[in-house]
Amino acid sequence: MNEIVYDIQDLVKRYPGQEVPANDSITLQINQGEIFGILGDNGAGKTTLVRQMVNLLRSTAGKITLFGQEISKHSHLVPQYVGYMPQDSEALNNLTVSEALYFTAHLRGLSRADARKERDLQMDLWQIRELHNKYSSRLSGGQKRILRLAVAAAGMLPVLILDEPTNDLDPYKRKLVWEVLRGLNRDRGLTIIFITHDAIEAEKIVQRVGIMSHGRFVALGLLGELKKIVGHKMRLELFFAPESPPTLPSTLSYREIAPGRWLLLVEREEIGALLQSLPLDQLDDFHLYSATLEDIYLHYAIEKK
Amino acid sequence: MLSKRNKQPGLLTQLIDVLLIELTNWRWSWRSMIVIGTLSPVLSMVALGVFARDSGKVSLSYVLVGNVVLAIMFNIMSNIESHVSFMRFHGMLDYFATLPVRRIALIPSLVTAFLLISLPALAATLIIGSLLLGVPLHISPLVLLVVPICAMPLAGIGALIGAKARTPMEANSINFLVMFLLLSIGPVIVPPQKLPAVLLILGRVSPATYASSALRQVLLGPITGQLTIDIAVLLGVTVMVYWWVSKAIDWRQ
């Protein structure tokens, strides 16, 4: 059985002056070698949770243990075991890409020679070698995010915690990030915990998911298990000219996910009849597929509000 | 394999790496730091020198050395206050907090970095001031020891303001006020004979008074037994302020 990396029990975080806690009664275990995704709408408490997990936020109640030791009592634990990528940071603005990676690896305990090797390895891994002499402050938003990912991974600590690793990234870089993370998990056994809004892409690598709403996990489990709950539903996306929306049967409810794009979650047995009733002449296109991680997220985080 | 951890870096490694990271501040701000860090004390010297010229050499020597203290405040105390405040509000403290860097390594590295970055402005202030005011310099080798000792408590006060203020703007305002107070109470820029008794008494608790006294001895001479007292007080204040700063800069919110 895999070792438990993080064991979180009854965690609460209440910010001063706020009646509603940011996190409330969170209990969670993360196993070694697991890829765990945290999803939730804005203000659900995701960033608060990971900042508690890396010991940057003091919890109001509850406890967090990392490899069996309580992080609030052993402040050296997180720096020694966990690489953390914050959502935003200007920490490394004065350093070049190469310096940021070298100093981080060196401060994480690697010798000077090993830190140099680690710097080169990370630059190749994240495909930022051509930026090595560029100052962090002069990188684009996406390049900065890739550098923060590389900095979190530098030193090859056993746990990575990433707060929205693919925001600001173009499709090619997003693909790269998921591939690198999957590789680090597969080849080096890294435990990876990440927050994302990118549910469709995260599905490519995530093994277990926690969906947060109002400071609590409203769903927690293996992706397959959660899919079964909404699995009897099919996802139907309709595409049309935004200025002339189609007329649907009044019994159907839909959600607009973008101008000219509606999403319907439909029972499997109703699909045949629905397709018959669709006003195809009013549509540019339609896609029908089984439930995705995004549907699970929408089902729990939004529709259950 | 997964719970394997890297060896924790030694304190010296932490100090050197943080110092090198902090020295990179020089990349962007060296021009403004030299210009503003020199210009402000020099302009102050010109203005005060006009009044002090008729009061004799002692007054001029106070104007010169007092403005070197002002240069230390501008270049080290103010910059550290702004930098600590910046670190708090822009995620830099989070970066260090999630690395095996002890809080105790952070402040000495910061002070050393800003002291090194400020040396050109301090030297320029001293040389220009000496020429402008006609005060001859008799520099003792002890200056190499005394300048860092004078900078440390003032830097610590700057770090404390940066660590405790609620916003960067509040930090800047408090820092300005404290600088003004430290320069005003005690014989820093003005000779003791020309100060009211109450300011002389208040000046005894100001590190700027002892910094000014120590610098006057190693820059203009003569060196007396007072230098030992000055250094002891400055080191004492440094220890107290650093202890307070290390408590104030809590990694965890």
Side-chain angles (χ1 to χ4, degrees):
Chain A
M1 189 179 160
N2 280 348
E3 189 178 354
I4 292 171
V5 175
Y6 267 107
D7 187 6
I8 299 170
Q9 295 292 331
D10 299 318
L11 200 67
V12 179
K13 176 63 189 177
R14 194 183 296 274
Y15 289 106
Q18 291 191 1
E19 281 185 24
V20 181
N23 277 337
D24 195 7
S25 306
I26 288 185
T27 294
L28 171 69
Q29 289 185 334
I30 309 274
N31 295 314
Q32 190 171 298
E34 189 171 28
I35 302 182
F36 183 83
I38 303 174
L39 282 84
D41 46 349
N42 292 331
K46 306 181 298 294
T47 296
T48 297
L49 174 62
V50 296
R51 285 178 66 81
Q52 286 171 286
M53 289 170 74
V54 294
N55 221 8
L56 288 174
L57 266 185
R58 190 176 278 119
S59 300
T60 310
K63 70 172 183 176
I64 303 174
T65 59
L66 176 62
F67 291 112
Q69 290 181 286
E70 206 169 328
I71 60 169
S72 61
K73 292 181 182 160
H74 304 278
S75 58
H76 64 280
L77 280 175
V78 168
Q80 284 187 317
Y81 288 112
V82 183
Y84 168 61
M85 187 200 102
Q87 203 177 118
D88 291 299
S89 173
E90 294 175 41
L92 305 165
N93 271 359
N94 292 326
L95 302 178
T96 63
V97 166
S98 170
E99 290 166 346
L101 290 168
Y102 169 79
F103 280 122
T104 305
H106 193 234
L107 281 169
R108 286 194 173 135
L110 302 190
S111 67
R112 289 188 188 283
D114 286 344
R116 278 193 288 272
K117 279 186 204 157
E118 179 68 8
R119 171 198 65 196
D120 294 344
L121 189 149
Q122 292 294 340
M123 285 197 293
D124 291 339
L125 193 62
W126 299 95
Q127 300 182 6
I128 49 175
R129 167 107 31 198
E130 74 279 11
L131 304 173
H132 75 284
N133 264 338
K134 216 166 170 184
Y135 294 115
S136 308
S137 55
R138 295 187 180 169
L139 299 177
S140 69
Q143 289 170 332
K144 279 182 186 168
R145 195 161 293 268
I146 295 281
L147 174 60
R148 289 211 298 278
L149 275 160
V151 163
M156 289 299 171
L157 303 180
V159 184
L160 267 184
I161 296 186
L162 313 168
D163 194 344
E164 302 197 3
T166 55
N167 271 19
D168 310 325
L169 299 184
D170 60 49
Y172 173 76
K173 291 290 184 196
R174 282 207 301 271
K175 188 165 172 280
L176 171 77
V177 168
W178 297 125
E179 279 176 5
V180 170
L181 293 177
R182 187 163 38 199
L184 291 173
N185 172 260
R186 182 187 57 229
D187 303 335
R188 302 187 185 215
L190 257 66
T191 304
I192 300 173
I193 301 157
F194 65 88
I195 292 176
T196 189
H197 287 292
D198 196 352
I200 289 177
E201 296 220 5
E203 190 168 351
K204 292 172 187 166
I205 71 159
V206 75
Q207 294 158 357
R208 204 155 62 98
V209 185
I211 297 173
M212 291 190 75
S213 181
H214 297 95
R216 288 171 177 262
F217 276 113
V218 289
L220 189 63
L222 292 170
L223 189 56
E225 289 170 359
L226 294 182
K227 269 190 167 184
K228 278 182 197 162
I229 297 169
V230 290
H232 57 285
K233 292 197 173 181
M234 298 286 286
R235 177 190 180 96
L236 176 66
E237 274 183 51
L238 305 180
F239 298 84
F240 52 89
E243 62 279 7
S244 51
T247 311
L248 296 182
S250 57
T251 50
L252 287 180
S253 62
Y254 61 85
R255 205 170 67 81
E256 183 172 352
I257 48 180
R261 198 172 156 205
W262 288 350
L263 169 69
L264 293 84
L265 288 176
V266 189
E267 298 293 337
R268 275 175 195 272
E269 54 273 21
E270 292 172 0
I271 286 293
L274 173 64
L275 291 178
Q276 293 286 335
S277 67
L278 275 186
L280 294 177
D281 55 321
Q282 297 173 26
L283 299 176
D284 292 338
D285 199 1
F286 69 89
H287 294 171
L288 179 68
Y289 33 89
S290 59
T292 65
L293 180 55
E294 185 169 85
D295 300 322
I296 298 169
Y297 162 59
L298 293 172
H299 175 78
Y300 282 104
I302 296 173
E303 291 172 11
K304 287 213 161 184
K305 269 186 187 175
Chain B
M1 181 197 117
L2 285 180
S3 52
K4 175 177 78 103
R5 62 182 184 186
N6 296 330
K7 204 179 83 183
Q8 180 131 6
L11 186 60
L12 186 62
T13 300
Q14 295 175 35
L15 284 165
I16 292 171
D17 278 7
V18 177
L19 170 65
L20 291 173
I21 290 172
E22 290 303 328
L23 277 174
T24 59
N25 286 300
W26 182 247
R27 281 180 173 146
W28 310 112
S29 51
W30 66 274
R31 291 177 190 86
S32 63
M33 284 181 75
I34 289 183
V35 171
I36 296 170
T38 307
L39 209 56
S40 306
V42 166
L43 287 176
S44 163
M45 264 189 284
V46 171
L48 291 167
V50 171
F51 292 102
R53 205 166 288 280
D54 297 333
S55 306
K57 281 209 174 297
V58 173
S59 291
L60 287 173
S61 75
Y62 271 86
V63 170
L64 175 64
V65 175
N67 279 287
V68 173
V69 176
L70 176 66
I72 291 175
M73 288 179 172
F74 256 118
N75 288 289
I76 302 175
M77 182 174 150
S78 283
N79 284 333
I80 286 185
E81 166 268 306
S82 301
H83 191 63
V84 170
S85 178
F86 176 87
M87 288 171 89
R88 279 178 62 208
F89 292 99
H90 291 85
M92 201 160 176
L93 277 185
D94 287 358
Y95 170 71
F96 285 123
T98 52
L99 291 175
V101 174
R102 291 160 67 185
R103 273 181 293 177
I104 200 169
L106 190 62
I107 299 303
S109 299
L110 265 180
V111 174
T112 310
F114 278 93
L115 179 65
L116 290 173
I117 292 169
S118 305
L119 286 178
L122 293 182
T125 303
L126 183 63
I127 293 163
I128 295 170
S130 165
L131 294 172
L132 274 176
L133 300 173
V135 176
L137 298 174
H138 299 283
I139 298 174
S140 156
L142 282 173
V143 74
L144 297 174
L145 182 71
V146 167
V147 169
I149 289 174
C150 291
M152 285 191 301
L154 298 173
I157 292 169
L160 189 61
I161 295 167
K164 296 289 272 185
R166 285 170 299 181
T167 62
M169 279 182 70
E170 185 181 87
N172 288 341
S173 305
I174 296 172
N175 186 68
F176 181 77
L177 187 68
V178 172
M179 267 176 58
F180 182 75
L181 270 175
L182 291 177
L183 286 171
S184 308
I185 59 170
V188 180
I189 294 183
V190 179
Q193 301 85 335
K194 296 185 183 289
L195 279 178
V198 65
L199 289 185
L200 279 177
I201 294 165
L202 288 173
R204 285 184 192 153
V205 295
S206 163
T209 304
Y210 299 91
S212 171
S213 166
L215 284 171
R216 202 174 305 109
Q217 291 171 74
V218 295
L219 294 174
L220 308 178
I223 292 171
T224 67
Q226 177 64 33
L227 184 63
T228 312
I229 297 168
D230 295 333
I231 288 175
V233 171
L234 291 168
L235 289 175
V237 175
T238 300
V239 171
M240 279 193 303
V241 174
Y242 281 34
W243 174 82
W244 197 357
V245 173
S246 71
K247 294 279 171 203
I249 297 182
D250 190 350
W251 286 156
R252 295 197 301 153
Q253 294 162 3

